[in-house]
Amino acid sequence: MRFTSGSRYPCQEDIPLSGQLPFAHVIPATGVPTRVPLNTLAIPLGLAGLAQVWSVATIALGMPFAIGQAFWLIAAIAWLWTIAVHVRRGTRTDQPLSHQLTHFAQGPLAALLPITAMLLGASLHRTIPLAGTVLTLISIAAAAAFGAWILSFWMRGELTLESVHGGYYLPISAAGLVGALAAAESGLDWLAVGTFAVGIFFWLVISAFFFLRLALRPTMPAPLVPTLAIMIAPPAVAAAAWLTISGGRPDEVFEGLTAVTAFMVLIQVTLLPRYRALPFSLSFWSFTFPAASVTALVITWLRLLHPFAWQATTVGLLAALTVLVVVVAAKSIFLLSATTRAARRQRPAAEKQAIG
């Protein structure tokens, strides 16, 4: 592992995602376990995004409440399972967690854990208000603590512009905006406004650095290219959060945030050829939550405006997003199965070589 001059932290060229993503849950052939990459935390977030869309759609279409809750249960199980996998692997390796948290590529992705918990807390509030409120408050507090810590780490002056990727929206901007949505849905209006302000401010700050990095620095490494999709999530989530804060009344702020979201989606359309050229990896889960955020916003607009065939359009959007998440999940399972078998085949040869 290489380090920057005079620093104990890994430099940008030591991005492990390309090598670690396919082997996220596999012990290397050397027999020395490594920590699970933090971007695997995008899996429960993507499932939570899908559950959010189903909840919005069930309200719009008058479908049974239990349908949306079933998807939330799947997201909660995935969240707990992912945490268990990280903890179990962490107890079997000598690599400290601080190495991941201070890594310029992986560190910001740790925010995925409390962000997912915020959405789960808001969902839980619909059935068990007290438990949902407690989970929402704890997850927002955890995200705030992590956001303050990682911002102070970035302020040490060791961060290079090449290190910035779409995941840098997560610790403060995305956490603030998702926190605003979760707090508003949990009836914590006083907290929702504050977290919304924090999220909007750092959305603008991070966007400035992110677009400078894209325009003035070399092309982003392939494993990090899917994080470009994250740029559409902040305005989409912000629009949903503001609509909830304002009591469901669409106003100029909501319309403005929707317009920004639409432009960000247009940018993503131009990036489709670049995305299609990428080999599949677990980093493709980066596409799921942004796609879910935009889908939820579109369904909300359809419910508000009731254009021609809006219900059929809602069903189509819901089906398309569900297929996207299912395909990514299926490919992830096949990928992990293949890499597990490959690692098992390589391990005996590595052990013989070590003995020899």
Side-chain angles (χ1 to χ4, degrees):
M1 180 178 293
R2 298 196 300 112
F3 297 83
T4 55
S5 177
S7 172
R8 61 186 180 88
Y9 302 105
C11 64
Q12 172 66 11
E13 290 78 5
D14 185 38
I15 296 175
L17 297 181
S18 58
Q20 290 184 2
L21 272 179
F23 298 89
H25 301 289
V26 180
I27 296 178
T30 58
V32 180
T34 58
R35 286 189 174 272
V36 178
L38 292 175
N39 61 343
T40 53
L41 297 174
I43 296 174
L45 180 62
L47 294 173
L50 176 63
Q52 181 75 7
V53 173
W54 271 90
S55 294
V56 173
T58 53
I59 295 174
L61 300 174
M63 299 168 62
F65 174 75
I67 296 179
Q69 292 302 103
F71 283 90
W72 281 112
L73 179 60
I74 295 173
I77 293 173
W79 183 71
L80 293 172
W81 173 79
T82 306
I83 293 175
V85 170
H86 277 262
V87 172
R88 182 173 181 271
R89 180 66 65 82
T91 61
R92 300 170 61 192
T93 180
D94 294 332
Q95 297 178 346
L97 180 60
S98 59
H99 283 185
Q100 283 188 310
L101 298 180
T102 57
H103 192 284
F104 292 139
Q106 288 202 57
L109 306 182
L112 291 166
L113 184 63
I115 289 175
T116 305
M118 295 175 194
L119 295 172
L120 292 174
S123 172
L124 184 60
H125 182 270
R126 301 186 187 106
T127 53
I128 311 177
L130 179 59
T133 300
V134 170
L135 180 57
T136 300
L137 289 173
I138 292 175
S139 57
I140 290 177
F146 177 71
W149 174 82
I150 200 168
L151 184 60
S152 67
F153 170 67
W154 292 342
M155 292 170 61
R156 295 181 183 181
E158 298 171 349
L159 180 66
T160 61
L161 193 57
E162 289 82 356
S163 303
V164 179
H165 56 78
Y168 277 59
Y169 282 109
L170 297 172
I172 312 176
S173 175
L177 295 173
V178 173
L181 176 61
E185 291 183 347
S186 300
L188 304 171
D189 295 340
W190 57 273
L191 182 59
V193 174
T195 53
F196 181 84
V198 172
I200 288 293
F201 176 78
F202 282 99
W203 170 40
L204 299 176
V205 171
I206 297 300
S207 292
F209 284 100
F210 187 44
F211 282 100
L212 283 175
R213 184 261 179 270
L214 294 176
L216 303 179
R217 290 296 184 268
T219 302
M220 190 172 291
L224 294 178
V225 169
T227 66
L228 292 172
I230 298 177
M231 71 173 71
I232 66 177
V237 176
W242 184 257
L243 184 65
T244 306
I245 291 172
S246 60
R249 297 182 299 274
D251 56 14
E252 291 80 3
V253 175
F254 176 67
E255 294 171 355
L257 290 170
T258 300
V260 175
T261 303
F263 184 74
M264 291 297 179
V265 171
L266 183 60
I267 295 175
Q268 294 300 309
V269 172
T270 66
L271 291 172
L272 287 178
R274 190 173 178 185
Y275 292 151
R276 285 197 295 265
L278 296 172
F280 181 82
S281 69
L282 294 186
S283 62
F284 272 47
W285 281 96
S286 298
F287 294 119
T288 56
F289 183 74
S293 301
V294 173
T295 302
L297 181 59
V298 174
I299 292 176
T300 299
W301 269 107
L302 291 173
R303 179 174 61 85
L304 291 172
L305 299 179
H306 286 191
F308 175 75
W310 71 273
Q311 292 176 315
T313 304
T314 297
V315 172
L317 291 171
L318 184 61
L321 179 68
T322 303
V323 169
L324 170 65
V325 175
V326 169
V327 168
V328 172
K331 283 181 171 289
S332 299
I333 293 172
F334 293 147
L335 178 62
L336 291 174
S337 298
T339 52
T340 299
R341 291 193 298 268
R344 288 174 178 173
R345 288 194 299 265
Q346 294 173 2
R347 193 177 304 166
E351 291 175 351
K352 291 179 180 179
Q353 184 176 5
I355 295 175

